[in-house]
Amino acid sequence: MKRKVEAQLIAWKNKSSERQPLLVNGARQVGKTYSVLEFGRTHYENTVYFNFDTNPKLKQTFDEDISPEYLVPILSHISSQTIVRETTLIVFDENKKIVPLYAAFCI
């Protein structure tokens, strides 16, 4: 399913020097998660998905330390996947209550 958001996601990815997180907001049940996961599947070697609603312990991880050096190895362990800076898309879903999340990945 092609969506208009794909062009915006590609433009975000092509700004590789900025290394900024992408926040996707919108109404519920309109395909945000589907669009981002499909983008990851087609434009990255690996996509790692975390859902704060189904894994409440994730919030504790962000309460401890928000530095990428601390978080990435822990997230790799939780997901059982290797996270590589340039080739892995990390997706955090249902994260509206996690305030430090944005700050953690502004690298």
PDB file of all heavy atoms in Angstrom, residues 11-45:
ATOM      1  N   ALA A  11      12.571  11.535   2.559  1.00  0.00           N
ATOM      2  CA  ALA A  11      13.253  12.826   2.725  1.00  0.00           C
ATOM      3  C   ALA A  11      13.941  12.892   4.088  1.00  0.00           C
ATOM      4  O   ALA A  11      15.077  13.369   4.203  1.00  0.00           O
ATOM      5  CB  ALA A  11      12.262  13.969   2.565  1.00  0.00           C
ATOM      6  N   TRP A  12      13.286  12.402   5.130  1.00  0.00           N
ATOM      7  CA  TRP A  12      13.882  12.366   6.464  1.00  0.00           C
ATOM      8  C   TRP A  12      15.138  11.499   6.467  1.00  0.00           C
ATOM      9  O   TRP A  12      16.175  11.886   6.996  1.00  0.00           O
ATOM     10  CB  TRP A  12      12.857  11.850   7.477  1.00  0.00           C
ATOM     11  CG  TRP A  12      13.445  11.527   8.804  1.00  0.00           C
ATOM     12  CD1 TRP A  12      13.762  12.408   9.801  1.00  0.00           C
ATOM     13  CD2 TRP A  12      13.809  10.223   9.277  1.00  0.00           C
ATOM     14  NE1 TRP A  12      14.299  11.726  10.854  1.00  0.00           N
ATOM     15  CE2 TRP A  12      14.345  10.394  10.558  1.00  0.00           C
ATOM     16  CE3 TRP A  12      13.741   8.940   8.733  1.00  0.00           C
ATOM     17  CZ2 TRP A  12      14.793   9.317  11.325  1.00  0.00           C
ATOM     18  CZ3 TRP A  12      14.198   7.881   9.481  1.00  0.00           C
ATOM     19  CH2 TRP A  12      14.714   8.073  10.766  1.00  0.00           C
ATOM     20  N   LYS A  13      15.061  10.347   5.855  1.00  0.00           N
ATOM     21  CA  LYS A  13      16.217   9.434   5.821  1.00  0.00           C
ATOM     22  C   LYS A  13      17.386  10.056   5.070  1.00  0.00           C
ATOM     23  O   LYS A  13      18.545   9.894   5.461  1.00  0.00           O
ATOM     24  CB  LYS A  13      15.844   8.107   5.167  1.00  0.00           C
ATOM     25  CG  LYS A  13      16.989   7.096   5.160  1.00  0.00           C
ATOM     26  CD  LYS A  13      16.562   5.809   4.497  1.00  0.00           C
ATOM     27  CE  LYS A  13      17.589   4.715   4.674  1.00  0.00           C
ATOM     28  NZ  LYS A  13      18.736   4.830   3.834  1.00  0.00           N
ATOM     29  N   ASN A  14      17.113  10.781   4.019  1.00  0.00           N
ATOM     30  CA  ASN A  14      18.173  11.377   3.211  1.00  0.00           C
ATOM     31  C   ASN A  14      18.880  12.541   3.906  1.00  0.00           C
ATOM     32  O   ASN A  14      19.921  12.978   3.452  1.00  0.00           O
ATOM     33  CB  ASN A  14      17.626  11.816   1.858  1.00  0.00           C
ATOM     34  CG  ASN A  14      17.284  10.620   0.995  1.00  0.00           C
ATOM     35  OD1 ASN A  14      17.813   9.528   1.170  1.00  0.00           O
ATOM     36  ND2 ASN A  14      16.365  10.812   0.073  1.00  0.00           N
ATOM     37  N   LYS A  15      18.327  13.027   5.003  1.00  0.00           N
ATOM     38  CA  LYS A  15      18.997  14.054   5.809  1.00  0.00           C
ATOM     39  C   LYS A  15      19.925  13.370   6.811  1.00  0.00           C
ATOM     40  O   LYS A  15      19.911  13.663   7.999  1.00  0.00           O
ATOM     41  CB  LYS A  15      17.977  14.899   6.567  1.00  0.00           C
ATOM     42  CG  LYS A  15      17.110  15.763   5.708  1.00  0.00           C
ATOM     43  CD  LYS A  15      16.176  16.554   6.602  1.00  0.00           C
ATOM     44  CE  LYS A  15      15.216  17.375   5.795  1.00  0.00           C
ATOM     45  NZ  LYS A  15      14.300  18.138   6.641  1.00  0.00           N
ATOM     46  N   SER A  16      20.766  12.474   6.322  1.00  0.00           N
ATOM     47  CA  SER A  16      21.571  11.619   7.190  1.00  0.00           C
ATOM     48  C   SER A  16      22.509  12.382   8.101  1.00  0.00           C
ATOM     49  O   SER A  16      22.851  11.913   9.176  1.00  0.00           O
ATOM     50  CB  SER A  16      22.352  10.613   6.359  1.00  0.00           C
ATOM     51  OG  SER A  16      23.215  11.301   5.477  1.00  0.00           O
ATOM     52  N   SER A  17      22.951  13.566   7.710  1.00  0.00           N
ATOM     53  CA  SER A  17      23.896  14.296   8.545  1.00  0.00           C
ATOM     54  C   SER A  17      23.236  14.866   9.798  1.00  0.00           C
ATOM     55  O   SER A  17      23.908  15.176  10.774  1.00  0.00           O
ATOM     56  CB  SER A  17      24.546  15.423   7.743  1.00  0.00           C
ATOM     57  OG  SER A  17      23.564  16.357   7.348  1.00  0.00           O
ATOM     58  N   GLU A  18      21.930  15.003   9.802  1.00  0.00           N
ATOM     59  CA  GLU A  18      21.243  15.602  10.945  1.00  0.00           C
ATOM     60  C   GLU A  18      20.975  14.618  12.075  1.00  0.00           C
ATOM     61  O   GLU A  18      20.859  15.006  13.219  1.00  0.00           O
ATOM     62  CB  GLU A  18      19.942  16.260  10.496  1.00  0.00           C
ATOM     63  CG  GLU A  18      20.182  17.444   9.587  1.00  0.00           C
ATOM     64  CD  GLU A  18      18.906  18.128   9.177  1.00  0.00           C
ATOM     65  OE1 GLU A  18      17.890  17.983   9.884  1.00  0.00           O
ATOM     66  OE2 GLU A  18      18.929  18.803   8.140  1.00  0.00           O
ATOM     67  N   ARG A  19      20.808  13.342  11.778  1.00  0.00           N
ATOM     68  CA  ARG A  19      20.600  12.286  12.765  1.00  0.00           C
ATOM     69  C   ARG A  19      19.543  12.624  13.811  1.00  0.00           C
ATOM     70  O   ARG A  19      19.746  12.457  14.990  1.00  0.00           O
ATOM     71  CB  ARG A  19      21.911  11.931  13.463  1.00  0.00           C
ATOM     72  CG  ARG A  19      23.060  11.604  12.564  1.00  0.00           C
ATOM     73  CD  ARG A  19      22.866  10.447  11.645  1.00  0.00           C
ATOM     74  NE  ARG A  19      22.350   9.279  12.328  1.00  0.00           N
ATOM     75  CZ  ARG A  19      21.745   8.299  11.728  1.00  0.00           C
ATOM     76  NH1 ARG A  19      21.576   8.311  10.438  1.00  0.00           N
ATOM     77  NH2 ARG A  19      21.308   7.273  12.382  1.00  0.00           N
ATOM     78  N   GLN A  20      18.421  13.136  13.377  1.00  0.00           N
ATOM     79  CA  GLN A  20      17.353  13.513  14.280  1.00  0.00           C
ATOM     80  C   GLN A  20      16.264  12.441  14.310  1.00  0.00           C
ATOM     81  O   GLN A  20      15.964  11.826  13.297  1.00  0.00           O
ATOM     82  CB  GLN A  20      16.725  14.836  13.830  1.00  0.00           C
ATOM     83  CG  GLN A  20      17.650  16.022  13.955  1.00  0.00           C
ATOM     84  CD  GLN A  20      17.940  16.364  15.397  1.00  0.00           C
ATOM     85  OE1 GLN A  20      17.056  16.363  16.242  1.00  0.00           O
ATOM     86  NE2 GLN A  20      19.198  16.649  15.680  1.00  0.00           N
ATOM     87  N   PRO A  21      15.639  12.259  15.470  1.00  0.00           N
ATOM     88  CA  PRO A  21      14.495  11.354  15.538  1.00  0.00           C
ATOM     89  C   PRO A  21      13.345  11.911  14.712  1.00  0.00           C
ATOM     90  O   PRO A  21      13.246  13.117  14.498  1.00  0.00           O
ATOM     91  CB  PRO A  21      14.109  11.344  17.015  1.00  0.00           C
ATOM     92  CG  PRO A  21      15.226  11.982  17.733  1.00  0.00           C
ATOM     93  CD  PRO A  21      15.974  12.830  16.760  1.00  0.00           C
ATOM     94  N   LEU A  22      12.492  11.039  14.286  1.00  0.00           N
ATOM     95  CA  LEU A  22      11.297  11.434  13.548  1.00  0.00           C
ATOM     96  C   LEU A  22      10.095  11.120  14.416  1.00  0.00           C
ATOM     97  O   LEU A  22       9.927   9.984  14.859  1.00  0.00           O
ATOM     98  CB  LEU A  22      11.203  10.661  12.238  1.00  0.00           C
ATOM     99  CG  LEU A  22       9.929  10.867  11.432  1.00  0.00           C
ATOM    100  CD1 LEU A  22       9.879  12.286  10.883  1.00  0.00           C
ATOM    101  CD2 LEU A  22       9.851   9.858  10.302  1.00  0.00           C
ATOM    102  N   LEU A  23       9.283  12.117  14.684  1.00  0.00           N
ATOM    103  CA  LEU A  23       8.061  11.914  15.454  1.00  0.00           C
ATOM    104  C   LEU A  23       6.891  11.892  14.486  1.00  0.00           C
ATOM    105  O   LEU A  23       6.700  12.834  13.719  1.00  0.00           O
ATOM    106  CB  LEU A  23       7.872  13.034  16.475  1.00  0.00           C
ATOM    107  CG  LEU A  23       9.001  13.195  17.489  1.00  0.00           C
ATOM    108  CD1 LEU A  23       8.730  14.389  18.396  1.00  0.00           C
ATOM    109  CD2 LEU A  23       9.170  11.937  18.308  1.00  0.00           C
ATOM    110  N   VAL A  24       6.130  10.807  14.515  1.00  0.00           N
ATOM    111  CA  VAL A  24       4.977  10.667  13.629  1.00  0.00           C
ATOM    112  C   VAL A  24       3.728  10.785  14.495  1.00  0.00           C
ATOM    113  O   VAL A  24       3.470   9.933  15.336  1.00  0.00           O
ATOM    114  CB  VAL A  24       5.006   9.317  12.877  1.00  0.00           C
ATOM    115  CG1 VAL A  24       3.787   9.192  11.981  1.00  0.00           C
ATOM    116  CG2 VAL A  24       6.297   9.173  12.083  1.00  0.00           C
ATOM    117  N   ASN A  25       2.988  11.845  14.282  1.00  0.00           N
ATOM    118  CA  ASN A  25       1.756  12.083  15.031  1.00  0.00           C
ATOM    119  C   ASN A  25       0.565  11.983  14.093  1.00  0.00           C
ATOM    120  O   ASN A  25       0.692  12.214  12.898  1.00  0.00           O
ATOM    121  CB  ASN A  25       1.769  13.489  15.657  1.00  0.00           C
ATOM    122  CG  ASN A  25       2.862  13.644  16.673  1.00  0.00           C
ATOM    123  OD1 ASN A  25       3.045  12.789  17.527  1.00  0.00           O
ATOM    124  ND2 ASN A  25       3.603  14.740  16.584  1.00  0.00           N
ATOM    125  N   GLY A  26      -0.587  11.692  14.673  1.00  0.00           N
ATOM    126  CA  GLY A  26      -1.793  11.639  13.875  1.00  0.00           C
ATOM    127  C   GLY A  26      -2.907  10.934  14.620  1.00  0.00           C
ATOM    128  O   GLY A  26      -2.726  10.444  15.733  1.00  0.00           O
ATOM    129  N   ALA A  27      -4.036  10.889  13.993  1.00  0.00           N
ATOM    130  CA  ALA A  27      -5.203  10.228  14.583  1.00  0.00           C
ATOM    131  C   ALA A  27      -4.912   8.738  14.795  1.00  0.00           C
ATOM    132  O   ALA A  27      -4.033   8.156  14.161  1.00  0.00           O
ATOM    133  CB  ALA A  27      -6.411  10.400  13.663  1.00  0.00           C
ATOM    134  N   ARG A  28      -5.663   8.161  15.681  1.00  0.00           N
ATOM    135  CA  ARG A  28      -5.502   6.727  15.952  1.00  0.00           C
ATOM    136  C   ARG A  28      -6.026   5.893  14.786  1.00  0.00           C
ATOM    137  O   ARG A  28      -6.945   6.286  14.090  1.00  0.00           O
ATOM    138  CB  ARG A  28      -6.271   6.346  17.231  1.00  0.00           C
ATOM    139  CG  ARG A  28      -5.675   6.996  18.473  1.00  0.00           C
ATOM    140  CD  ARG A  28      -6.357   6.532  19.750  1.00  0.00           C
ATOM    141  NE  ARG A  28      -6.459   5.090  19.915  1.00  0.00           N
ATOM    142  CZ  ARG A  28      -5.476   4.263  20.288  1.00  0.00           C
ATOM    143  NH1 ARG A  28      -4.290   4.759  20.505  1.00  0.00           N
ATOM    144  NH2 ARG A  28      -5.676   2.976  20.432  1.00  0.00           N
ATOM    145  N   GLN A  29      -5.373   4.752  14.594  1.00  0.00           N
ATOM    146  CA  GLN A  29      -5.842   3.750  13.635  1.00  0.00           C
ATOM    147  C   GLN A  29      -5.855   4.227  12.183  1.00  0.00           C
ATOM    148  O   GLN A  29      -6.757   3.886  11.418  1.00  0.00           O
ATOM    149  CB  GLN A  29      -7.243   3.263  14.032  1.00  0.00           C
ATOM    150  CG  GLN A  29      -7.323   2.680  15.424  1.00  0.00           C
ATOM    151  CD  GLN A  29      -6.510   1.409  15.581  1.00  0.00           C
ATOM    152  OE1 GLN A  29      -6.574   0.525  14.738  1.00  0.00           O
ATOM    153  NE2 GLN A  29      -5.719   1.317  16.641  1.00  0.00           N
ATOM    154  N   VAL A  30      -4.866   5.034  11.795  1.00  0.00           N
ATOM    155  CA  VAL A  30      -4.818   5.496  10.408  1.00  0.00           C
ATOM    156  C   VAL A  30      -3.632   4.910   9.635  1.00  0.00           C
ATOM    157  O   VAL A  30      -3.450   5.229   8.457  1.00  0.00           O
ATOM    158  CB  VAL A  30      -4.793   7.041  10.307  1.00  0.00           C
ATOM    159  CG1 VAL A  30      -6.079   7.624  10.853  1.00  0.00           C
ATOM    160  CG2 VAL A  30      -3.582   7.628  11.004  1.00  0.00           C
ATOM    161  N   GLY A  31      -2.817   4.078  10.294  1.00  0.00           N
ATOM    162  CA  GLY A  31      -1.728   3.427   9.589  1.00  0.00           C
ATOM    163  C   GLY A  31      -0.342   3.996   9.840  1.00  0.00           C
ATOM    164  O   GLY A  31       0.583   3.738   9.070  1.00  0.00           O
ATOM    165  N   LYS A  32      -0.169   4.749  10.916  1.00  0.00           N
ATOM    166  CA  LYS A  32       1.151   5.317  11.208  1.00  0.00           C
ATOM    167  C   LYS A  32       2.181   4.221  11.421  1.00  0.00           C
ATOM    168  O   LYS A  32       3.260   4.236  10.810  1.00  0.00           O
ATOM    169  CB  LYS A  32       1.085   6.226  12.447  1.00  0.00           C
ATOM    170  CG  LYS A  32       0.235   7.469  12.285  1.00  0.00           C
ATOM    171  CD  LYS A  32       0.209   8.317  13.539  1.00  0.00           C
ATOM    172  CE  LYS A  32      -0.313   7.617  14.766  1.00  0.00           C
ATOM    173  NZ  LYS A  32      -1.733   7.272  14.742  1.00  0.00           N
ATOM    174  N   THR A  33       1.873   3.281  12.280  1.00  0.00           N
ATOM    175  CA  THR A  33       2.823   2.204  12.575  1.00  0.00           C
ATOM    176  C   THR A  33       3.091   1.374  11.330  1.00  0.00           C
ATOM    177  O   THR A  33       4.246   1.073  11.010  1.00  0.00           O
ATOM    178  CB  THR A  33       2.292   1.315  13.716  1.00  0.00           C
ATOM    179  OG1 THR A  33       2.114   2.126  14.879  1.00  0.00           O
ATOM    180  CG2 THR A  33       3.257   0.184  14.023  1.00  0.00           C
ATOM    181  N   TYR A  34       2.059   1.022  10.613  1.00  0.00           N
ATOM    182  CA  TYR A  34       2.229   0.252   9.385  1.00  0.00           C
ATOM    183  C   TYR A  34       3.166   0.978   8.420  1.00  0.00           C
ATOM    184  O   TYR A  34       4.085   0.386   7.854  1.00  0.00           O
ATOM    185  CB  TYR A  34       0.876   0.001   8.707  1.00  0.00           C
ATOM    186  CG  TYR A  34       1.031  -0.610   7.338  1.00  0.00           C
ATOM    187  CD1 TYR A  34       1.188  -1.987   7.185  1.00  0.00           C
ATOM    188  CD2 TYR A  34       1.073   0.194   6.202  1.00  0.00           C
ATOM    189  CE1 TYR A  34       1.373  -2.538   5.921  1.00  0.00           C
ATOM    190  CE2 TYR A  34       1.257  -0.351   4.949  1.00  0.00           C
ATOM    191  CZ  TYR A  34       1.407  -1.718   4.815  1.00  0.00           C
ATOM    192  OH  TYR A  34       1.599  -2.252   3.567  1.00  0.00           O
ATOM    193  N   SER A  35       2.942   2.264   8.231  1.00  0.00           N
ATOM    194  CA  SER A  35       3.744   3.040   7.278  1.00  0.00           C
ATOM    195  C   SER A  35       5.217   3.064   7.680  1.00  0.00           C
ATOM    196  O   SER A  35       6.100   2.881   6.840  1.00  0.00           O
ATOM    197  CB  SER A  35       3.214   4.467   7.166  1.00  0.00           C
ATOM    198  OG  SER A  35       1.928   4.472   6.596  1.00  0.00           O
ATOM    199  N   VAL A  36       5.478   3.300   8.954  1.00  0.00           N
ATOM    200  CA  VAL A  36       6.865   3.382   9.410  1.00  0.00           C
ATOM    201  C   VAL A  36       7.541   2.013   9.335  1.00  0.00           C
ATOM    202  O   VAL A  36       8.693   1.903   8.904  1.00  0.00           O
ATOM    203  CB  VAL A  36       6.934   3.977  10.830  1.00  0.00           C
ATOM    204  CG1 VAL A  36       8.341   3.890  11.394  1.00  0.00           C
ATOM    205  CG2 VAL A  36       6.461   5.423  10.822  1.00  0.00           C
ATOM    206  N   LEU A  37       6.850   0.959   9.731  1.00  0.00           N
ATOM    207  CA  LEU A  37       7.449  -0.385   9.656  1.00  0.00           C
ATOM    208  C   LEU A  37       7.696  -0.812   8.211  1.00  0.00           C
ATOM    209  O   LEU A  37       8.720  -1.425   7.895  1.00  0.00           O
ATOM    210  CB  LEU A  37       6.569  -1.403  10.380  1.00  0.00           C
ATOM    211  CG  LEU A  37       6.522  -1.241  11.901  1.00  0.00           C
ATOM    212  CD1 LEU A  37       5.537  -2.229  12.506  1.00  0.00           C
ATOM    213  CD2 LEU A  37       7.898  -1.390  12.520  1.00  0.00           C
ATOM    214  N   GLU A  38       6.787  -0.488   7.323  1.00  0.00           N
ATOM    215  CA  GLU A  38       6.971  -0.808   5.908  1.00  0.00           C
ATOM    216  C   GLU A  38       8.141  -0.017   5.340  1.00  0.00           C
ATOM    217  O   GLU A  38       8.955  -0.546   4.563  1.00  0.00           O
ATOM    218  CB  GLU A  38       5.682  -0.518   5.127  1.00  0.00           C
ATOM    219  CG  GLU A  38       5.738  -0.895   3.668  1.00  0.00           C
ATOM    220  CD  GLU A  38       5.889  -2.389   3.424  1.00  0.00           C
ATOM    221  OE1 GLU A  38       5.664  -3.203   4.347  1.00  0.00           O
ATOM    222  OE2 GLU A  38       6.253  -2.748   2.288  1.00  0.00           O
ATOM    223  N   PHE A  39       8.264   1.242   5.711  1.00  0.00           N
ATOM    224  CA  PHE A  39       9.398   2.059   5.305  1.00  0.00           C
ATOM    225  C   PHE A  39      10.707   1.432   5.797  1.00  0.00           C
ATOM    226  O   PHE A  39      11.682   1.324   5.050  1.00  0.00           O
ATOM    227  CB  PHE A  39       9.240   3.480   5.858  1.00  0.00           C
ATOM    228  CG  PHE A  39      10.448   4.332   5.700  1.00  0.00           C
ATOM    229  CD1 PHE A  39      10.801   4.837   4.466  1.00  0.00           C
ATOM    230  CD2 PHE A  39      11.239   4.639   6.799  1.00  0.00           C
ATOM    231  CE1 PHE A  39      11.932   5.640   4.312  1.00  0.00           C
ATOM    232  CE2 PHE A  39      12.359   5.444   6.656  1.00  0.00           C
ATOM    233  CZ  PHE A  39      12.703   5.933   5.415  1.00  0.00           C
ATOM    234  N   GLY A  40      10.725   1.009   7.043  1.00  0.00           N
ATOM    235  CA  GLY A  40      11.918   0.362   7.583  1.00  0.00           C
ATOM    236  C   GLY A  40      12.257  -0.916   6.840  1.00  0.00           C
ATOM    237  O   GLY A  40      13.423  -1.187   6.538  1.00  0.00           O
ATOM    238  N   ARG A  41      11.247  -1.690   6.528  1.00  0.00           N
ATOM    239  CA  ARG A  41      11.460  -2.959   5.820  1.00  0.00           C
ATOM    240  C   ARG A  41      12.077  -2.731   4.447  1.00  0.00           C
ATOM    241  O   ARG A  41      12.929  -3.497   4.000  1.00  0.00           O
ATOM    242  CB  ARG A  41      10.137  -3.714   5.688  1.00  0.00           C
ATOM    243  CG  ARG A  41      10.291  -5.125   5.132  1.00  0.00           C
ATOM    244  CD  ARG A  41       8.944  -5.794   4.938  1.00  0.00           C
ATOM    245  NE  ARG A  41       8.163  -5.202   3.859  1.00  0.00           N
ATOM    246  CZ  ARG A  41       8.403  -5.381   2.563  1.00  0.00           C
ATOM    247  NH1 ARG A  41       9.403  -6.112   2.173  1.00  0.00           N
ATOM    248  NH2 ARG A  41       7.635  -4.811   1.656  1.00  0.00           N
ATOM    249  N   THR A  42      11.677  -1.664   3.774  1.00  0.00           N
ATOM    250  CA  THR A  42      12.120  -1.446   2.400  1.00  0.00           C
ATOM    251  C   THR A  42      13.339  -0.537   2.273  1.00  0.00           C
ATOM    252  O   THR A  42      13.983  -0.529   1.223  1.00  0.00           O
ATOM    253  CB  THR A  42      10.982  -0.869   1.536  1.00  0.00           C
ATOM    254  OG1 THR A  42      10.534   0.361   2.111  1.00  0.00           O
ATOM    255  CG2 THR A  42       9.827  -1.849   1.434  1.00  0.00           C
ATOM    256  N   HIS A  43      13.668   0.229   3.334  1.00  0.00           N
ATOM    257  CA  HIS A  43      14.758   1.199   3.213  1.00  0.00           C
ATOM    258  C   HIS A  43      15.907   0.995   4.212  1.00  0.00           C
ATOM    259  O   HIS A  43      16.869   1.770   4.197  1.00  0.00           O
ATOM    260  CB  HIS A  43      14.216   2.622   3.363  1.00  0.00           C
ATOM    261  CG  HIS A  43      13.362   3.029   2.214  1.00  0.00           C
ATOM    262  ND1 HIS A  43      12.005   2.778   2.163  1.00  0.00           N
ATOM    263  CD2 HIS A  43      13.662   3.643   1.058  1.00  0.00           C
ATOM    264  CE1 HIS A  43      11.515   3.252   1.030  1.00  0.00           C
ATOM    265  NE2 HIS A  43      12.500   3.768   0.336  1.00  0.00           N
ATOM    266  N   TYR A  44      15.813   0.019   5.080  1.00  0.00           N
ATOM    267  CA  TYR A  44      16.861  -0.261   6.057  1.00  0.00           C
ATOM    268  C   TYR A  44      17.182  -1.753   6.042  1.00  0.00           C
ATOM    269  O   TYR A  44      16.325  -2.577   5.710  1.00  0.00           O
ATOM    270  CB  TYR A  44      16.417   0.145   7.467  1.00  0.00           C
ATOM    271  CG  TYR A  44      16.472   1.636   7.692  1.00  0.00           C
ATOM    272  CD1 TYR A  44      15.417   2.462   7.317  1.00  0.00           C
ATOM    273  CD2 TYR A  44      17.584   2.234   8.265  1.00  0.00           C
ATOM    274  CE1 TYR A  44      15.467   3.831   7.503  1.00  0.00           C
ATOM    275  CE2 TYR A  44      17.649   3.596   8.456  1.00  0.00           C
ATOM    276  CZ  TYR A  44      16.588   4.391   8.081  1.00  0.00           C
ATOM    277  OH  TYR A  44      16.649   5.745   8.266  1.00  0.00           O
ATOM    278  N   GLU A  45      18.385  -2.077   6.453  1.00  0.00           N
ATOM    279  CA  GLU A  45      18.757  -3.490   6.564  1.00  0.00           C
ATOM    280  C   GLU A  45      18.016  -4.164   7.707  1.00  0.00           C
ATOM    281  O   GLU A  45      17.731  -5.355   7.662  1.00  0.00           O
ATOM    282  CB  GLU A  45      20.271  -3.618   6.777  1.00  0.00           C
ATOM    283  CG  GLU A  45      21.086  -3.264   5.554  1.00  0.00           C
ATOM    284  CD  GLU A  45      22.575  -3.417   5.802  1.00  0.00           C
ATOM    285  OE1 GLU A  45      22.975  -4.210   6.686  1.00  0.00           O
ATOM    286  OE2 GLU A  45      23.335  -2.726   5.112  1.00  0.00           O
TER     287      GLU A  45
END
